[in-house]
Amino acid sequence: MSEFGALSLVPPLLAIVLAIVTRRPMLSLFLGVWSGAVIYTESLGLAQTFDWIVGAIIADEGFHVQILLFTILLGSGVALIWRLGGATAVRNWATARLETQRTVGLTTWVLGLLMFFDDYANTAIVGSTMREISDQFRISREKLSYIVDSTAAPVATIGLSSWVAFQLSLIAAGYEDLGVEEAPTAFETFVWSIPYNTYSLLAIAMVGIVVYTRRDFGEMLDAEHRAWTTGNVNREGAQPLQEVERDLGEPIEDRPMLRTFFAPVVVLIAVTLAGALWTGYDAWTAAQAEAGAPTAIGAAAGEDGWLQVLVDVVGAGDFAGALVWGSFAMVATAIAIGVAYDLFDLGDGVDTVIDGFRLMVTAVTILVLAWAISDVASALETGDYVAGAVGDAIPIALFPIAILLVAAFIAFTMGSSWATMGIVTPLAIELAYSLTGTFDLMPVVVGAVFSGAIFGDHTSPISDTSVLSSTFTGADLIDHVRTQIYYATTVMVVVVVCYLLYGYLDVSPVIFLPLGIALLYALVRGLSELDGARKGLDPIASRTSAERADGDSGDE
């Protein structure tokens, strides 16, 4: 239990409430960090405030510095693509091939599913790629940010990614702390936990339902009607974390070519994946040699299985470093194209790179402050306080729901799903074993931890993935959070229903997952109709008068 008690909740909750109310995330986050320093030092706390901010930059053995470098370099890559007319070429291409909002939304959703190897790369690549196309079809930036954000972490947590390796390490550590010989392998528990990572699975399904039906509710319905009727993809007065058109001026449109867009993006993906696999293989072979295990992949696969070896290799990769290499290669490729096709000279290319740095100043500042507020929560032991307050006097049938809600609240207040998983996973494993004396419940509680952590991440304005999703889609951070929270909460309600079916009726995921998807579909239809009627708006913002005359629901 935290020695600061309930006071440990003040800094993150203050930052979150102020950010939502004032729509000024930088000021709100700074005040949250400062309030934490006052509580921690029992003084004015300014020195501690800046210690936490500096520490957030250099933390995690340089990981945060690498992410900042990646973000800044990607800003330069985006600026170069814009300057070279790549966005114009994509807009022209999309106009000729993608005919509706639905096809654009589904394309964005599928791209998000394909970029499963890293959530940061996912938001950057999909957001930057689809932003101009979605603008062309008057899709609000809030809607684009929702699609990107909800197919980033949810996909990474169940795919072949750095997330999986981190999750495996947490499960293994939890089992090691138990000291029980008959414990299953971490890999086995993780695989069986995937169906119980219900929030991630249903969040992905929710995106598909919303995009396909074109139905919206909550503040997203207002945003979509604004974008469709006025063409303003951002709210008037919004403060996008990146606004290429405003900051870079008019692009070179003499020869808009698709290669000026797709070549840098393909290089980014290829170099990032190659770098992650290369560093992962080196780290894996070193670890195998140190353990006296086979260093040849074929031999290791014969003992542990191909999937386990592949997860180990990918998980050992330096994804942050690979992202830096990939973004630098993206910038170099764009400059080379510009010079080779005589679109600009080297000096203009360098000037554009610097302009791209400026694009990301706001996003980088918010990212650092979000990491700092997470450090504040760690120093005040906010997660330990919340977890300890739950106790272990919980009926077994409700235990997964308790773990789900604890993880969700911790992630919401810390803004970090990884930090939440690190705090809650060992505790959940220990409590589950003490309650049952077996490992039968382990996949369920592990899935509940991951589900809650990602839900909290999706609803928190101090989440790094929320910041990056807003950045690369050019959205206002608080507008993104305010519109997404309706959809994330709807999914969370269905997750609780699924867990109740499991806990009290022993319904398996084979049954409750399809039921959950069906319930989500019904809720989207019902809530969109109710909210549309309440506001006097069509629940499908882009429905044409001809569709209304034909009675088209938009679902066909």
Side-chain angles (χ1 to χ4, degrees):
M1 184 73 72
S2 167
E3 66 176 282
F4 297 96
L7 280 176
S8 66
L9 298 174
V10 171
L13 290 180
L14 176 66
I16 290 166
V17 171
L18 284 177
I20 293 174
V21 172
T22 67
R23 296 182 185 268
R24 296 186 179 276
M26 279 191 287
L27 175 62
S28 304
L29 284 166
F30 180 79
L31 292 176
V33 176
W34 191 3
S35 68
V38 170
I39 294 170
Y40 187 74
T41 63
E42 298 182 351
S43 66
L44 187 59
L46 275 176
Q48 182 62 60
T49 298
F50 288 104
D51 282 347
W52 272 327
I53 292 172
V54 172
I57 298 173
I58 61 177
D60 293 340
E61 299 179 349
F63 174 79
H64 286 177
V65 174
Q66 290 174 310
I67 296 303
L68 295 177
L69 277 174
F70 160 67
T71 303
I72 291 171
L73 284 170
L74 205 66
S76 295
V78 169
L80 285 163
I81 288 173
W82 170 263
R83 180 73 178 143
L84 292 171
T88 302
V90 168
R91 185 171 64 244
N92 296 340
W93 176 87
T95 302
R97 290 166 178 79
L98 299 177
E99 299 178 350
T100 64
Q101 280 193 342
R102 177 183 286 165
T103 55
V104 173
L106 289 174
T107 301
T108 308
W109 182 54
V110 171
L111 279 176
L113 296 176
L114 293 176
M115 299 296 164
F116 56 81
F117 53 89
D118 183 77
D119 59 325
Y120 288 165
N122 187 313
T123 57
I125 293 166
V126 180
S128 299
T129 301
M130 298 305 297
R131 184 176 60 242
E132 301 301 327
I133 302 173
S134 69
D135 285 356
Q136 181 74 10
F137 286 85
R138 297 192 174 193
I139 297 173
S140 67
R141 292 284 178 86
E142 294 95 325
K143 184 69 161 289
L144 180 62
S145 294
Y146 160 66
I147 298 171
V148 170
D149 202 358
S150 292
T151 51
V155 173
T157 196
I158 58 177
L160 194 62
S161 69
S162 52
W163 282 66
V164 173
F166 176 66
Q167 292 163 337
L168 286 170
S169 69
L170 294 176
I171 298 169
Y175 284 167
E176 186 176 339
D177 291 343
L178 287 180
V180 180
E181 293 184 1
E182 65 270 18
T185 66
F187 184 75
E188 181 183 357
T189 300
F190 171 78
V191 170
W192 286 107
S193 76
I194 291 175
Y196 298 99
N197 189 352
T198 312
Y199 178 82
S200 295
L201 296 171
L202 294 185
I204 295 168
M206 179 72 165
V207 174
I209 292 168
V210 168
V211 167
Y212 184 77
T213 64
R214 296 185 292 160
R215 291 176 173 273
D216 291 292
F217 57 90
E219 293 191 35
M220 191 73 80
L221 180 61
D222 302 306
E224 283 295 280
H225 271 277
R226 180 203 67 230
W228 183 252
T229 56
T230 69
N232 295 328
V233 293
N234 269 316
R235 171 183 57 83
E236 185 177 350
Q239 297 179 331
L241 297 189
Q242 176 202 113
E243 197 63 59
V244 179
E245 302 90 332
R246 182 192 65 200
D247 296 334
L248 298 180
E250 293 298 318
I252 301 168
E253 295 187 337
D254 299 338
R255 284 183 293 163
M257 299 178 291
L258 284 175
R259 71 196 69 181
T260 60
F261 183 93
F262 286 109
V265 172
V266 169
V267 168
L268 167 66
I269 296 170
V271 173
T272 299
L273 285 175
L277 290 173
W278 176 44
T279 56
Y281 179 74
D282 282 351
W284 176 80
T285 52
Q288 289 287 101
E290 184 177 349
T295 56
I297 288 183
E303 293 184 3
D304 302 327
W306 282 100
L307 186 58
Q308 175 70 65
V309 171
L310 191 56
V311 168
D312 290 342
V313 170
V314 172
D318 180 7
F319 272 86
L323 287 170
V324 174
W325 305 338
S327 55
F328 177 79
M330 177 190 192
V331 169
T333 301
I335 291 176
I337 290 173
V339 172
Y341 285 91
D342 199 26
L343 296 172
F344 57 43
D345 58 28
L346 186 59
D348 289 335
V350 173
D351 288 342
T352 305
V353 168
I354 295 171
D355 289 339
F357 290 170
R358 287 196 288 267
L359 278 179
M360 294 299 182
V361 169
T362 301
V364 163
T365 303
I366 293 176
L367 204 54
V368 169
L369 290 171
W371 287 332
I373 199 77
S374 181
D375 289 344
V376 172
S378 296
L380 298 181
E381 300 177 319
T382 304
D384 291 341
Y385 170 74
V386 174
V390 175
D392 56 1
I394 303 167
I396 292 179
L398 294 177
F399 184 68
I401 295 177
I403 294 296
L404 175 79
L405 297 178
V406 167
F409 187 74
I410 293 174
F412 180 76
T413 54
M414 295 188 72
S416 171
S417 50
W418 279 42
T420 301
M421 292 173 188
I423 292 169
V424 183
T425 302
L427 174 67
I429 288 174
E430 180 181 347
L431 288 177
Y433 189 77
S434 65
L435 283 172
T436 64
T438 70
F439 291 90
D440 296 343
L441 202 58
M442 295 305 174
V444 185
V445 297
V446 168
V449 172
F450 300 160
S451 285
I454 294 171
F455 167 76
D457 210 39
H458 275 174
T459 53
S460 176
I462 61 175
S463 157
D464 52 0
T465 53
S466 294
V467 172
L468 290 175
S469 296
S470 304
T471 298
F472 295 118
T473 58
D476 181 294
L477 170 61
I478 305 305
D479 288 349
H480 165 50
V481 174
R482 288 172 67 119
T483 50
Q484 178 166 271
I485 198 168
Y486 292 89
Y487 295 168
T489 303
T490 301
V491 175
M492 189 62 159
V493 169
V494 175
V495 172
V496 171
V497 171
C498 291
Y499 280 9
L500 286 172
L501 290 174
Y502 167 80
Y504 284 102
L505 300 177
D506 199 26
V507 176
S508 76
V510 175
I511 297 174
F512 73 58
L513 285 174
L515 283 176
I517 294 172
L519 182 55
L520 282 178
Y521 179 82
L523 285 171
V524 168
R525 283 191 63 94
L527 291 173
S528 64
E529 291 289 343
L530 286 172
D531 201 35
R534 182 177 67 87
K535 296 174 178 175
L537 298 173
D538 192 315
I540 303 175
S542 60
R543 181 154 49 186
T544 65
S545 56
E547 286 177 323
R548 293 190 187 99
D550 292 340
D552 185 359
S553 70
D555 302 344
E556 289 78 18

